[in-house]
Each structure stands twice: as structure tokens, then as C-alpha cells.
Amino acid sequence: MSLDITRINPYFEDVMPQEYIDLEKNGSFGSEKRLGDLGAFKELLEEHPMCAGCHLALAFRVLVSSLPRPEDSILVGSTGCSSLAFTQLALHNIHSLFGNQNAVASGLKRALKLRFPNKVKDVIVMAGDGATADIGLDMTLHSWFRGENITTVMFDNELYANTGGQESGMSMCGAVLNMAPTGKKFQKIRVHELAISAGCAYVAVVSTAKPKNISECFKKAILIAREVGPTYIQIFTPCPTNLKIKPSDSKKVAAERFKGDYAFKEHITDEAREYLTSIKDAVKKEALETEAVLVSEDKEIPLEGG
Amino acid sequence: MPANELKEVSTEYMLFEAKREEQFITGSEAVREAVRRANIDVAIAYPITPQSESMHLVGDLYAEGYVKEYFRGENEFAVMSEITGAAMAGVRTFTATCGPGTLRAFENFPMWSGARLPIVMGFMTRAINAPLSIQPDTIEMSFLLDTGMMMMHAEAAQDLYDMLLMSFDIVEQTSVHIPMGVFVDGFFVTHTRQKINIVTEDVKLRPYNPGLSPVPHIDMETPPFRLMRDPFVMKSNYISYAAHASWQQEVMASAQRAKKYIKKYMGSFIEQENPDASIQIVASGTAVSQAREAIRMLKAEGIDAGLVKVKVIRPFPADEIKAVLSGAEKIIIPEFNRVGWLCREVASVIPNNDRILPGPRVYGGMTMPPEVIIQVVKEGALVGV
Ligand SMILES: Cc1ncc(C[n+]2csc(CCOP(=O)(O)OP(=O)(O)O)c2C)c(N)n1
Ligand SMILES: [Mg+2]
């Protein structure tokens, strides 16, 4: 547990930026947040330079607010629009090259296991569709084949947003985009299916149409990645700038696609399901035990008083 | 002695005091012996001839417990990125590749320098496609000259062994913390047996100390928690340009600051034999051995020639080379590559560089008989080239 690094030396409080103090005093370190708490605590991602109506930014905000243990979470990003948000993130994170995110995360996770054998360090990759499914696809898949204990998140805006709206492997067939002047000639890559066959223990296809669902699936993905194996979350995050729609219409696009081809999909292996049940049971058991202790302590109080 | 019972010692002790014994082993085995005592946390491998055997042997060390983590990555670009992640997490890493593998991985090397990663890596040089050839050729060194990495060039297995062992402490200095490539000519050194002095005492290098890094590690243990490795400076404004420029200057300065540590362990960047001769042969790698033989043969004919062995290519020992060549009338630079990168480097730092005679350059796997060096010494060029 690295809560210590989130604490400010009291002698330095007067020189620390207010937002850093807020992150310590009213942030999510040391206390798991629910999506419903948004607005009532200091978030790990703020003041990013993303466009108005950017659903990648919305998804990013939902994700980092849903981290089960932000104080032990390390993010690995890639080049693309999301990397502009990463610079604003109040967590250790890496950007090294375009497309190598799952390889960097693999080395990082293994090294952290060596350095901190008795701690859980959640390593989470968050990258665009181009980074995950095109230039970095080999490394995405191989990290899954190897069974790395990492979570991979794809922000799927179905194009290369950062470089000006070019076709990606995740673009829809027929989409007319830069570098696809007569329309894309092949189907959207079925990365979620590849994830299942590559051995991911948990796979979810979600959408900004349902932020709460993103949050719940992401939490499960992180827990499962700790003990069972790699997990994958694919999020539909429409890009109004490159779709050339009004920022306020991203929501409509997400909602329509959610009703159609971008509906919720979830896959969980038996092992992962059993693991989740076992944690729930453990939490319940712990709660019961705490209750029992409280009850017995209650009983002792009058004795002591007497 | 089991791996976990090796006593931790300083690099000075390892290089200058630890008991050594002469062994008759290959260059690849010399890599294994260096790595055995280097206290490596994470090693990642990908096959390519003539490097593969070195990393097989590192794999054996993992199986025996000398290396803590080891696996085969999916390609060289991925391997170098996996090494990146491990190094950023604050552990000591090792890998090796060559030729096409070096080029496949290329984007990582300047990134390593810019990210101030203290990575030591072996390059068992080979030719580059097309046409495909697995044969020795040092052309990849030419491509790596300006990546910000430091570079050493081993003449033989003894150099390779010592250079690897000394490199960890050099790159891990707080004021240095940039990568080091240790280069060795593939096959000529990796696949031949040579007598070399190996440490036999039950010792290993002290572990990497993440606390001495000039840049924070990514582990959520090191404050501040608001930390990106490495943040962008791509805005269109002068502050951004200046940040990028000064960062690069800092990488170059790191290599300059490494000089005193290189000197401490290596003694000198170059070695000179017969400094008064008016003919000087400047070489690195196995070309040095060929030059030595040529000088011996020339001497038998009554022609006096000297030798300048260049051990460190980056940071380039410009002043030293300029000084030792000040009295030379003819300078010959034999190389195992087409482009003559060492020749260019030397020509760029000495006055009156028309003293340099071209070549001989052999490539594509050719050997360099001393006779071809002698021919250049005598006739100013290779006949028919
Ligand atoms: C090796 C390399 N090739 C190309 C680029 C240019 N590039 C930067 S971001 C990007 C597209 C990113 O697309 P995606 O991963 O979908 O992220 P998005 O911007 O859409 O969020 C490209 C092609 C680069 N930085 N590096
Ligand atoms: Mg995209």
C-alpha cells in the first residue's frame, strides 16, 4: 500500500498547490469511490485539454474514478488523443511510444512483482483503437497469450483522432475517412473475440451510453487481472470533432449505437467468476467477523464499566 | 555455489580484485559468465543469429536462479519495450540482439536515452537485409551512433566480458543513467573459443539501487504521485522547444559525465601501440586483431606501423584520438562494414584528414586478411576496389 506517498508533509502544506492538497484530503486515495460520488470528491483527472463532447475524456474520467485502489494503480498509455489527458493524471503513468503499451505494461508488471512481492500493483493499459488494434496489435495479443496480469482498455472512437481522422482497423466498413477516400474496405476488427480466444479471463464491450456499466466492468476487470489473468475492456467513445457532429450529439451517437451494433457484451471464464465470488464471500465473511467482534466488544463494555 | 549465496561486491572489487581463472570459452559463454555475476532482475530474449546463443545461456542462468525473471518476447520492438517497462519499474535489466533485430527495435533506443533508462544491452553485430545474411558486419553501429546511447566495441571475448560487467555501474550512476550498448562482432567473437580470465570467486554485483535514479520510477511508491514518464513537450511555443532541446542536451551531457566512470573501469578509451610510427592503423572490434597481425607482418618487412584501438565509440574520444594521431602521416582505418563509420568519425575530429587512406572495408560476412590492410598501407588503396 502506497498511501504514504499521497500524504503531504504538514510542514510543506503551505507551499503545496491547492489541488494537490485536495487530492490528499478529499480525493479517492484510500477510499473506493462509486460513480455516484462524482462531483463530491477531487478527481484524479481534471483540466484536460480534450475537445468539447469528447467521450474518450468522459470514459477516462469514469475509469480513473472507479479504480479499486488508486494508490496502487499504475497506468500505461500510448500516443493518441488519450495521451493528452494522461499528462493531467494524478497517478504514476507511462507513455513511451505509439503502440508498445502492452509490452511496456508486461515488463512493468513483472518487475513490480519482483520489487514488491507482497503488494498488489494494478497495471492498467489505456489506449486508442489505433494503438491497440493496429500498430500495437501484436503486443496486445501477445500480452494476452502470455497471460500477463494486466488490464487492457481500448478507447474505441473508430478512427485515428489525434492525427486528424484517418481510418483505423476499428473503423466501420464503408466509413469515408482520411486515407479511406472511397470508404473502408473491410470489417471492424473483432478485438473482443480475439481477446477471448487469446485467453483473457474477462472481456467486456461497453459504451459511454452507460457510464455505470463501464465502471462496474472495469472494477471486475482489475480484480480478475490481479489473480486470474489478462482482462480486456473495449469502450465506444465517439469523437465529435472527427465525426463532424455537434459536441452535444456524442451522447446521441453513443445511445443509438448501444441499441444497435455497439451493445453491451461480456465474457467471463469460470475461473474468473469463481474468483469474484470468492472475494465477495471473503468480504462478507470479514464483515460478519467485524460485526461479531463489535457485538462481543459491546458485551464486554458493561463488564468493564462494572 | 547456488545463485542466492553469492556475496554482493562493488564493481571495483569484481573487476580488479576478485579471483580469476583462465577459461577457454566462446564469446557467447563470456556473456553468460558476465550475466551470472551481474545480479540481473529481468532479462528478455528474442532469437536472431548470431546473438541467440548468448540469450539461451542467459535463460539457463534464469533456470539456475541467477537471473530473477526471463522470457522470450514476441519481437525485438516488443522486447525493448518490455525492457522499458521493467527499467521504469526500477530493476536491472539485460537483453541482446543484432542486425535486423536492432533495426526492428530501433524506435526504442533514442526513447531509452530520453527516458534516462540505465539499460545495458549486447549487440552481436551482423549484416542487414537485403539480401538477407546472418554474417558478421558492423553496419548497425553506424545507425546507432546518434541515438544518445553509449557504445563500447569489444575486440574479443575478454573485452566483452569486462565491458558488460563494468557497464552496469557506469549506466546506473545518478549523473549518467542512460543506456549502454556493448557491441561485439558476431560469429568472429561469439562463436569462437578464446582464453579469457573469468571471475571464479563466489561474488555478484550489488543490486540496482532505484533510490539513486535521477528520474523517479513508476511504482506508486515514489512521490510525487502526479507523475508521467515522460510528459509531452509538443506545444507550439518556445517553452516547449526549449524543454525538448535542453532535455536532449542533458542526455548528451550524461554521456560526457559517464567518461570518468568509464575511465575508472577501463583505464582509457583508446589504446595505442607504437605511437611514434608515422603510419597509424585505427580500428575497433575484431578489425583491431587483424590490424595487429598486419602490423606484425609489416614489421617483418621493415615497415613501422602503429595501432590505435578504439574501445569506446560513444561518447566518442575525440580529443584522445586527435592527440594520438597528431604525428601520423598516413592513417588507415580498416572496418567490417560498407559505410566506414569509424573513418567518418575519425575524419571529423582530426586536422588534415586527407592523411586518412580509404578502407580497407570488408562486409557481408567477409573476413579481413591482414594482407588487405597491408595492401592499403603500401599502395594507398585496395587494388581493384
Ligand atoms: C510510430 C508512430 N507512427 C505514427 C504516429 C502518429 N500517430 C500519433 S497518434 C496516432 C493515432 C492514434 O489513434 P488511436 O490510437 O485510435 O487514438 P486516438 O487519437 O483516436 O484516441 C498516430 C497515427 C506516431 N506517433 N508514432
Ligand atoms: Mg482512435
Side-chain angles (χ1 to χ4, degrees), chain A residues 296-306:
Chain A
S296 62
E297 273 172 0
D298 266 358
K299 277 181 191 157
E300 278 161 17
I301 291 167
L303 285 177
E304 275 176 6

Side-chain angles (χ1 to χ4, degrees), chain B residues 22-25 156-158 192-198:
Chain B
E22 193 176 80
Q23 292 186 2
F24 188 54
I25 59 175
Q158 185 72 60
T192 55
R193 274 178 206 285
Q194 302 148 54
K195 280 187 201 156
I196 81 163
N197 286 311
I198 294 286

Side-chain angles (χ1 to χ4, degrees), chain B residues 63-133:
Chain B
E64 292 165 19
Y66 290 94
V67 170
K68 296 189 192 75
E69 178 69 300
Y70 172 94
F71 68 99
R72 174 203 53 82
E74 56 271 54
N75 61 56
E76 293 87 353
F77 175 79
V79 167
M80 302 315 149
S81 298
E82 282 143 8
I83 289 282
T84 304
M88 283 203 185
V91 301
R92 185 177 288 157
T93 60
F94 184 72
T95 186
T97 189
C98 62
T102 302
L103 266 65
R104 180 63 62 97
F106 204 89
E107 197 185 359
N108 284 273
F109 301 130
M111 182 267 289
W112 284 358
S113 307
R116 303 292 302 273
L117 298 178
I119 294 165
V120 174
M121 163 162 185
F123 292 86
M124 290 71 189
T125 59
R126 86 170 233 192
I128 293 212
N129 312 23
L132 184 146
S133 163

Side-chain angles (χ1 to χ4, degrees), chain A residues 225-239:
Chain A
R226 283 182 191 165
E227 292 291 333
V228 187
T231 56
Y232 174 61
I233 307 275
Q234 180 176 314
I235 314 178
F236 181 55
T237 58
C239 164

Side-chain angles (χ1 to χ4, degrees), chain B residues 250-307:
Chain B
E250 180 58 13
V251 171
M252 292 189 284
S254 305
Q256 292 304 316
R257 291 191 296 255
K259 279 185 162 180
K260 79 173 177 214
Y261 303 103
I262 297 173
K263 213 166 215 149
K264 173 170 148 192
Y265 295 128
M266 204 182 262
S268 61
F269 289 69
I270 58 174
E271 280 168 21
Q272 194 177 23
E273 289 171 23
N274 201 7
D276 298 329
S278 63
I279 301 169
Q280 291 289 329
I281 306 180
V282 183
S284 69
T286 55
V288 175
S289 311
Q290 301 311 100
R292 226 183 241 117
E293 184 60 10
I295 290 166
R296 198 187 57 78
M297 289 162 69
L298 283 166
K299 197 170 176 191
E301 292 183 42
I303 301 173
D304 202 22
L307 174 70

Side-chain angles (χ1 to χ4, degrees), chain A residues 56 79-82 98 128-132 135 157 159-163, chain B residues 107:
Chain A
L56 189 161
T79 321
C81 282
S82 60
F98 184 37
D129 48 306
T132 310
I135 195 167
N157 50 19
L159 44 76
Y160 290 149
N162 197 234
T163 39
Chain B
E107 197 185 359

